[in-house]
Amino acid sequence: MSTSPPPAAKPQFPALRPRKGRTKTGCVYCRLRRKKCDERKPQCSSCTRLSLICTWPDPSEFAWRKRLGEQQCSQRTAPERTIDQQASPSSPSSVASSRGSLEQSEGSSLIPSISTLPSLFPESESMSVGLLQLYVEQTTGFILSVPEDFRDPFIYDVIPLAFEDTLVRNAVYCLGGIPLPQQNQNHPLEIRRLHHYAYAVKQLKDALTEWNNGSNKGALRLLLTTTLLCQYEVLRGNQNGVLAYHLRASSFLAQHIVGTDEFAQNHALSQVLVEMYAYLELSSALHLSATPNDPQLGPQSAISSIAYLRRFTTFGTLFGSASALYEMIPDIRRLADLRQKELVQGVPLGCNATFNAIMSQLQAFDWNSALATGPSSSQEDFLRGKAAAGRLVQNAMLLFLFSAYRVHQRTLKSIAHVLVDTAIEMGDSIIGTTWRNPTFWPAVVIGSYASTNDQRARIMEYLRPSMALTSRARELLMRLWSSPDEAFGLDGLAKIIAAEKASYCFG
């Protein structure tokens, strides 16, 4: 058995180009996305490229944005705080907030901003409309990893559905502003968000009971709702393990949609939702010992093979270049179980051959094909982040594999030191891109093996406390690093979570 980690060569990246500025004029869709519009009429170039119906508002229709900016300027008594106050201008926080930044200070600044929104709903729902604004301008930037010109179905497909369907609308509302730093439970926005979450869960329960198995539209509506609720729990840190219940419901719905091949092949939203389910299913299993909340993997999985998903035109918006790496998770989990039996019984059960086979897969990983997966882009920072994110996931899988084989603790620490260092180097290329979001759980796995103060400090920098999810991850890692019994790696993380009777951040 070879326990030498494969060399982690640094990918070569071209120099970054300066970001283009945004425009405050243009068609409805360009304004909604905060993208530059060339203002060609009747159809601007962006809408033509994305096959959208280009719509032009009356000059007064967006006056509320001007009033919003004037009001915030008049109220501001300190420098504006972004989602992540410590983030650089190109951090994931600023990527998300490029859809339109709102002040995030505790108190009255958010509420007056909401009161300036258009009167699309009764006055009693003005705060909910504010959550919708935050969903479009903030939350959607944390869901997918896509280039700037990608037609995001969580905006273009979901928003029209939300206006037609109260179930979807409540699920969208409860996600509004979730990536912001966690508000006090008594904050008006938090109360309203929980109000919509409770309504969405109740309506979902009734809808699942009444669902007609033959209705594709019904399946998509329900999968969209369960997926949005999964995102709600993930971004809040899955403190109580509720993600597992939403993921279980998503499993059956995703399986139904996959079974209607033509439907899944021709609907961008359904394609993205099925990939998101597969991503959450596999991410939730990135730990050594199975728990009752884990989704079914392998043949019993709703998504038995990612090969099916690779036919989708949208594939790669979550997995990026690492889909084949995530596919190894079920095999590594089975190796962990079998190796435990092998050590207890003292009888060879074929673990050495399995270990070497998986190691060969990881060492011979085809990066050229992997990097060609997903939406194309000419943005150097996006492509650089995509490549680095794949390398970071590869290192997390290597640590997962060595731990599953129960390599001696001293040997594991020596191997881990190198893998953590190279993963941290990859992290430097990921920060500032949307690829930081889908690498969150692999980064926590890598952090659990950090052994020096420098490594730990850099992991903390990568996991800046910009929202509840990262704050909770930091707490788990700090407890692990300060544990009196020198708990280490995935085994140590499992002990910390078990002692607290908590749940993994991802399932």
Side-chain angles (χ1 to χ4, degrees), residues 197-217:
Y197 179 81
Y199 268 107
V201 170
K202 182 181 183 301
Q203 290 174 317
L204 177 63
K205 182 179 178 181
D206 294 339
L208 286 170
T209 302
E210 299 171 0
W211 179 49
N212 178 357
N213 243 358
S215 172
N216 290 332
K217 183 178 180 181

Side-chain angles (χ1 to χ4, degrees), residues 187-505:
H187 191 284
L189 275 183
E190 183 67 13
I191 293 172
R192 180 55 63 96
R193 191 182 291 123
L194 291 171
H195 168 87
H196 287 297
Y197 179 81
Y199 268 107
V201 170
K202 182 181 183 301
Q203 290 174 317
L204 177 63
K205 182 179 178 181
D206 294 339
L208 286 170
T209 302
E210 299 171 0
W211 179 49
N212 178 357
N213 243 358
S215 172
N216 290 332
K217 183 178 180 181
L220 179 62
R221 168 187 182 241
L222 295 175
L223 180 59
L224 171 59
T225 303
T226 57
T227 301
L228 290 173
L229 295 181
C230 282
Q231 286 297 323
Y232 174 89
E233 293 299 338
V234 166
L235 292 174
R236 288 175 62 87
N238 193 36
Q239 184 70 44
N240 299 314
V242 179
L243 170 63
Y245 299 101
H246 297 320
L247 203 53
R248 200 169 298 153
S250 300
S251 171
F252 184 73
L253 296 164
Q255 192 171 28
H256 175 85
I257 287 180
V258 167
T260 55
D261 186 76
E262 182 179 355
F263 177 71
Q265 286 288 333
N266 293 287
H267 290 73
L269 180 59
S270 65
Q271 293 176 11
V272 168
L273 292 176
V274 171
E275 181 179 351
M276 183 167 290
Y277 168 76
Y279 171 77
L280 290 173
E281 176 190 274
L282 293 171
S283 297
S284 296
L286 189 50
H287 49 87
L288 288 173
S289 302
T291 71
N293 288 337
D294 284 351
Q296 293 292 324
L297 299 175
Q300 301 303 315
S301 166
I303 310 298
S304 58
S305 173
I306 293 180
Y308 173 86
L309 306 183
R310 290 194 178 97
R311 296 181 291 170
F312 291 175
T313 57
T314 62
F315 182 71
T317 55
L318 278 145
F319 285 113
S321 60
S323 60
L325 296 170
Y326 278 95
E327 274 188 297
M328 298 179 190
I329 290 177
D331 290 335
I332 299 176
R333 278 281 295 273
R334 283 190 287 270
L335 172 63
D337 293 339
L338 192 62
R339 178 61 171 165
Q340 189 67 26
K341 293 179 183 177
E342 191 175 68
L343 292 174
V344 170
Q345 297 175 9
V347 177
L349 298 175
C351 292
N352 186 55
T354 301
F355 172 89
N356 287 328
I358 298 174
M359 175 62 77
S360 296
Q361 281 184 274
L362 283 166
Q363 290 176 321
F365 191 75
D366 183 359
W367 283 108
N368 289 329
S369 298
L371 291 172
T373 303
S376 60
S377 175
S378 59
Q379 298 171 250
E380 288 90 345
D381 57 344
F382 177 83
L383 296 174
R384 179 181 67 177
K386 181 179 180 180
R391 296 283 184 178
L392 186 147
V393 173
Q394 183 186 40
N395 281 19
M397 292 304 164
L398 284 164
L399 290 169
F400 189 26
L401 176 61
F402 284 120
S403 297
Y405 193 76
R406 304 294 174 184
V407 172
H408 189 276
Q409 183 96 332
R410 183 179 300 173
T411 303
L412 180 58
K413 285 188 175 182
S414 176
I415 294 170
H417 185 82
V418 177
L419 291 173
V420 171
D421 273 346
T422 55
I424 287 172
E425 292 176 14
M426 295 301 106
D428 292 341
S429 298
I430 297 169
I431 292 178
T433 75
T434 56
W435 292 106
R436 179 172 158 186
N437 307 325
T439 57
F440 165 79
W441 189 234
V444 173
V445 171
I446 288 167
S448 70
Y449 292 87
S451 56
T452 68
N453 290 336
D454 180 64
Q455 287 180 339
R456 293 171 179 179
R458 296 187 69 182
I459 291 291
M460 288 292 102
E461 182 180 356
Y462 190 85
L463 298 172
R464 289 173 180 164
S466 57
M467 54 181 159
L469 175 61
T470 49
S471 295
R472 179 158 182 261
R474 290 166 64 95
E475 291 172 6
L476 287 175
L477 287 176
M478 285 189 285
R479 286 191 175 93
L480 173 65
W481 294 335
S482 61
S483 60
D485 59 350
E486 296 185 355
F488 177 75
L490 285 170
D491 275 325
L493 198 59
K495 291 177 183 177
I496 296 297
I497 289 172
E500 295 185 359
K501 297 182 180 178
S503 300
Y504 286 92
C505 297

Side-chain angles (χ1 to χ4, degrees), residues 119-141:
S119 300
L120 300 177
F121 294 92
E123 185 177 351
S124 60
E125 292 193 35
S126 62
M127 191 178 295
S128 298
V129 179
L131 291 175
L132 177 62
Q133 177 195 9
L134 288 170
Y135 167 83
V136 172
E137 297 183 345
Q138 306 280 6
T139 309
T140 53

Side-chain angles (χ1 to χ4, degrees), residues 151-165:
R151 183 187 182 280
D152 189 342
F154 281 99
I155 294 178
Y156 296 110
D157 297 332
V158 171
I159 296 301
L161 288 172
F163 278 97
E164 296 173 0
D165 190 322

